[in-house]
Structure formats: C-alpha cells, structure tokens
Amino acid sequence: MVWVPLRTTRTDRPAPLRAPTACRTTMSLEWLMDWSWSLDGLRDFIATGIQSFRDCDATALAAVACLLVLFVWYCYHVGREQPRAYATVNALMQSAEANGVQNGYVYCHSPECVRCTHHDGLNQKLYHNLQEYAKRYSWSGMGRIHKGIREQGRYLNSRPSIQKPEVFFLPDLPTMPYFSRDAQKHDVELLERNFQTILCEFETLYKAFSNCSLPQGWKMNSTPSGEWFTFYLVNQGMCVPRNCRRCPRTYRLLGSLRTCIGNNVFGNACISVLSPGTVIAEHYGPTNIRIRCHLGLKTPSNCELVVGGEPQCWAEGRCLLFDDSFLHTAFHEGPPEEGPRVVFMVDLWHPNVAAAERQALDFIFAPGR
C-alpha cells in the first residue's frame, strides 16, 4: 500500500499582495517558450540553407562569389575616386562666368596652362596626364599619343619650318595644308545649310560697331597693319556665356556638329572679322590634331588665306578646311567700300584621329588642367 499525500486547498490562504510580480513571471515564461520556438525555427532555417548550399553546383557558386567580389571592388573604386568634371560646352555655359571672362574673351590665369605656357616640365606634365588617363581607363589605342609625348621635343624641334605646331604634335597623321570638304562632310554641309542663320546673327552684332570702337564681347588682335576682330563663342575649350546668349542659334548649331572640338584647349569657335587693309602676321597653330574650318560670311575681293605657301580664297556660304599647324597668314587688300572680310571659324578634329585618341586628348588637354 502506497501512501500518497493529498494536496489540500486552503480557502483561507491570503491572496498574493504583489500581483504585478506574478504578471511579470507569467509574461517571462511565455516569452521564453516563444523564444525556444524561434530558436527551433532558426535552427531549421540554417540547416535548410546549409543543405541547399551543399546541393548547389560548385561552378555556379564560384561564379556568384566572383561577381560579388567584383561588385564590392567596383563600389570601393567608385567611392574613393574623386569625380572629375569634364569641360563640355554646355557645362561651361554655367561656370565660365567665374573663370576670368573679360570683354568676351577668356583669359588663362594658370601658370601651368599647357596651351599658353612653355616650360621645361611640359612633357612631364603631359605624360603624367596620359598615365592618369590610362590608369582610369585603358592604354588601348594610346600608342601614337604615348609616342608623341615621349618624343615631343624632337618632333617640335626637327619639324620642317613649313609645319611647326607650337604645343603638341601627334605623329603619323597625314600632312597637308588644305583638306577636302569630304574630310568632315557632315559638319561642312551642316554649317553651309545654316549660312544665313549665322550671317544674320553676325549682322546684328556688327551694328554695335557704329556706336563705339570696340563693342562688348569683341576682342582686338595684334596685326602688322589694319584691324582684326574676333567674337568668341568658345575660346580654348572655354565657353563665353555672354557671347553665346547673343548668338543663340549659332551656339546651338555647335552642339549639332559631330567633330567640333569643345572639350579641350585646342577647341575654338568664333566670328573673325578683317577690315580692309589688314594683314595677319605669319604664325603656326598649337597642334596638328585639328583642322580649322572657315565658313565664309562676307568675302570681298582681294582677300586670301595662305597656308604652307598655298593661297586660297574664301567664298560666301562655303567652308574652307586647313591645317593651321602649317605656317599661315591672311590678308584683306580689297577696297574700303566693299567692307570687311568675315568668316565663322570652328575647330574640328583631324579625320585621322581615332575616337579613343580624341577621348584621351580631351582628358590630357582639358581646360585648366
């Protein structure tokens, strides 16, 4: 016989005085039970994940791991790289106001400017810029530029006197004083179709000359005789906002040109005016990577352009293409009653400079670099 004590209930037992403690104990027990269930679920989830991982193909897992590593590296690289603002014509419209625009002409204030300053460290600076470009992008297609920078001093000093670019010579480009219209056919035809548009905006500008000697926005250039005026929309890769606003249709036309140089110091676009009796002294351009395009707006008689000893005449509504790294000059010997010679000048890429080279040259010779 087993004796089992009986639990008696005492009706006279006082109720607990600390009811909140009892509540907390009950809630804690419930939470612990829920937590144990959560741990069981978590354990099952981990076990399922491990089994799935084991079941996956090793090649697929390796590919996913490589993609993940590449993504992390890309995020790190982009995050640590300092962003660089490229000098596009449209972007410079907003910023050039603060970069030294005086009388419509952009003056360079930097002693390190590769376009305006000649110094012993120029080649080192260009090579440093090339290395920086190749590090960010690629050495692919940089053979001629690398060769040109490495032997720049020899090229500039040994060139025949007929062609001596002042700043940069790119080797192995076809050499000729003048180019046919087919060299940049699209841009030539586009400019000629808009001849009347450009002419009308010039005539509106030129009316201001009756009120003062040098209206705002025009620049007077040094000449042995006569007067040579220029009205820049883009000067050495820098847009002149005030002038562009006064020639809005001509400025918009620049954006439609496929080969216009607008992103480096060798790019210019302007209206050039020679008064009767003017002679421009013989000089060389800064580089052979461009061809200069003159669209004739007003072409009186006895006006000539001489490039590499070869004379050519302008024609109204027609483009004349030439390499200004050749020794060249221009003159207007027509009668005063025929008025000035006027051309719209824009710099285009040499047709034999490849797209990858253009991108690299824009980086190396960016304005203010």
Side-chain angles (χ1 to χ4, degrees), residues 234-251:
V234 178
N235 185 276
Q236 296 183 20
M238 298 290 290
C239 180
V240 186
R242 184 178 301 168
N243 289 0
C244 291
R245 285 193 289 267
R246 296 176 65 185
C247 299
R249 290 179 292 177
T250 303
Y251 168 70

Side-chain angles (χ1 to χ4, degrees), residues 8-275:
T8 58
T9 303
R10 296 181 58 182
T11 57
D12 59 342
R13 184 178 181 178
L17 297 178
R18 300 181 62 183
T21 303
C23 292
R24 282 198 298 270
T25 302
T26 303
M27 293 174 61
S28 298
L29 290 173
E30 293 176 354
W31 182 82
L32 285 172
M33 292 178 65
D34 292 341
W35 185 61
S36 65
W37 282 109
S38 299
L39 286 178
D40 292 339
L42 180 60
R43 185 176 62 251
D44 295 341
F45 176 78
I46 293 174
T48 303
I50 293 174
Q51 186 61 40
S52 300
F53 182 82
R54 290 175 177 173
D55 293 339
C56 286
D57 181 68
T59 304
L61 290 176
V64 172
C66 289
L67 289 175
L68 181 60
V69 170
L70 287 174
F71 177 73
V72 172
W73 174 86
Y74 174 78
C75 293
Y76 169 75
H77 180 72
V78 172
R80 70 186 294 270
E81 183 178 12
Q82 293 295 326
R84 188 178 194 284
Y86 278 87
T88 61
V89 174
N90 287 330
L92 288 169
M93 278 290 290
Q94 308 299 324
S95 62
E97 291 281 11
N99 288 337
V101 180
Q102 301 175 7
N103 194 29
Y105 182 69
V106 180
Y107 290 88
C108 178
H109 296 293
S110 172
E112 300 298 324
C113 174
V114 295
R115 173 62 180 89
C116 305
T117 304
H118 300 276
H119 51 81
D120 295 336
L122 176 59
N123 289 353
Q124 288 82 352
K125 180 179 178 62
L126 295 182
Y127 192 74
H128 171 77
N129 292 348
L130 174 61
Q131 286 183 311
E132 185 178 349
Y133 173 84
K135 181 179 178 181
R136 294 189 183 192
Y137 303 101
S138 172
W139 278 103
S140 177
M142 297 298 104
R144 284 198 299 191
I145 297 178
H146 182 261
K147 178 181 176 182
I149 292 176
R150 187 180 64 243
E151 304 182 37
Q152 195 63 202
R154 180 176 67 84
Y155 284 132
L156 297 182
N157 294 328
S158 64
R159 293 297 303 168
S161 60
I162 194 174
Q163 185 191 28
K164 273 185 175 288
E166 295 179 341
V167 178
F168 179 73
F169 178 81
L170 185 64
D172 305 325
L173 286 181
T175 298
M176 62 191 77
Y178 294 96
F179 287 79
S180 70
R181 296 163 44 81
D182 291 337
Q184 298 295 5
K185 185 176 180 180
H186 173 272
D187 290 351
V188 166
E189 292 179 348
L190 183 61
L191 288 167
E192 291 179 351
R193 284 199 303 269
N194 288 272
F195 160 70
Q196 287 294 337
T197 296
I198 301 172
L199 178 62
C200 288
E201 292 194 329
F202 158 72
E203 290 176 339
T204 301
L205 290 173
Y206 198 66
K207 291 177 182 178
F209 274 91
S210 60
N211 300 324
C212 59
S213 58
L214 188 63
Q216 189 175 47
W218 289 87
K219 175 182 178 291
M220 179 178 288
N221 303 281
S222 176
T223 57
S225 62
E227 295 177 329
W228 175 24
F229 304 100
T230 46
F231 187 86
Y232 278 91
L233 302 183
V234 178
N235 185 276
Q236 296 183 20
M238 298 290 290
C239 180
V240 186
R242 184 178 301 168
N243 289 0
C244 291
R245 285 193 289 267
R246 296 176 65 185
C247 299
R249 290 179 292 177
T250 303
Y251 168 70
R252 284 195 296 269
L253 179 63
L254 292 177
S256 301
L257 300 177
R258 293 178 180 174
T259 61
C260 175
I261 301 178
N263 295 347
N264 71 53
V265 295
F266 299 129
N268 302 273
C270 73
I271 296 172
S272 174
V273 178
L274 293 185
S275 61

